[in-house]
Amino acid sequence: MSPMNLNEQVPDFTLPSVTGDEFSFKDFLNENGDDWHLLIYFRGSWCPACVEELKDLEESHEYFVNHQVHLTTISADHKDSLHNMVSKHDFSLRVLADQELHVLNQYGIHYHDENSPYEDHGTHGEPAYFLTDGDGKLLYQQRQTSPFGRPHPKELRKIIQYIRKNLKCH
């Protein structure tokens, strides 16, 4: 996939949720008006740094809701493993399974596989962040090639505040 540019439409996708329902990004956009959406791709339920990040996001969830930003987390990990993680930590965050790597490929997320230059827990997608407006246009993106350097929820809050303050009217 070619790089996504700011203010361009992000790809639509439909993925299974760990709760058993299907999540359609297009339908979600249509149902939530002008609200923004933060799509967060994480490595998997086996990754301690990811679980800690999800705990931090869970603690900040009310902030995002109060500022009309919906969180959706996605992983290439197996749906059952993700479901167990959600149950174990009592996460209320939306968690989707991308086992077929559709979102990973559509969004150009780094895929760590056997050809990667270092060994790291087998094949998986690395962390990535995509903030869209209510129309699904890209406002912010960050893609990682390792588990480190990802923005903390406090940084994500600052990014959202900065973009809202400086967003040009259409």
Side-chain angles (χ1 to χ4, degrees):
M1 174 187 176
S2 60
M4 292 189 295
N5 294 311
L6 295 181
N7 208 34
E8 288 184 353
Q9 189 74 34
V10 300
D12 182 29
F13 62 88
T14 300
L15 290 175
S17 168
V18 299
T19 60
D21 57 336
E22 290 282 314
F23 176 86
S24 162
F25 188 58
K26 181 180 178 182
D27 291 348
F28 191 75
L29 288 172
N30 290 336
E31 294 167 8
N32 289 285
D34 293 331
D35 290 0
W36 288 8
H37 310 277
L38 182 57
L39 304 172
I40 300 171
Y41 208 94
F42 68 99
R43 300 171 91 211
S45 60
W46 49 267
C47 173
C50 295
V51 172
E52 286 304 310
E53 176 186 33
L54 293 172
K55 287 179 182 178
D56 290 341
L57 286 166
E58 185 74 34
E59 289 177 14
S60 295
H61 195 225
E62 186 176 335
Y63 171 87
F64 291 106
V65 169
N66 290 339
H67 288 83
Q68 292 78 43
V69 177
H70 298 272
L71 301 177
T72 299
T73 64
I74 307 167
S75 176
D77 198 357
H78 193 275
K79 184 179 170 187
D80 292 340
S81 299
L82 294 170
H83 182 270
N84 291 340
M85 175 196 70
V86 168
S87 295
K88 178 180 178 180
H89 298 287
D90 198 29
F91 290 141
S92 64
L93 299 168
R94 179 179 301 106
V95 179
L96 308 178
D98 186 26
Q99 289 177 245
E100 303 297 321
L101 309 179
H102 294 301
V103 171
L104 182 137
N105 289 318
Q106 286 179 300
Y107 282 68
I109 295 167
H110 179 72
Y111 187 61
H112 189 103
D113 62 12
E114 65 276 353
N115 297 319
S116 295
Y118 54 92
E119 293 184 28
D120 180 27
H121 299 89
T123 59
H124 58 273
E126 292 291 356
Y129 304 80
F130 305 92
L131 178 67
T132 74
D133 67 10
D135 295 322
K137 291 186 179 177
L138 188 64
L139 299 173
Y140 165 83
Q141 64 184 319
Q142 181 178 0
R143 294 178 186 88
Q144 303 294 124
T145 58
S146 75
F148 308 107
R150 62 182 99 192
H152 186 275
K154 288 180 183 175
E155 291 300 314
L156 292 169
R157 289 160 52 166
K158 288 179 189 176
I159 290 164
I160 290 166
Q161 290 170 359
Y162 172 81
I163 292 170
R164 281 225 166 115
K165 179 180 176 188
N166 293 290
L167 190 62
K168 294 178 183 177
C169 294
H170 300 288

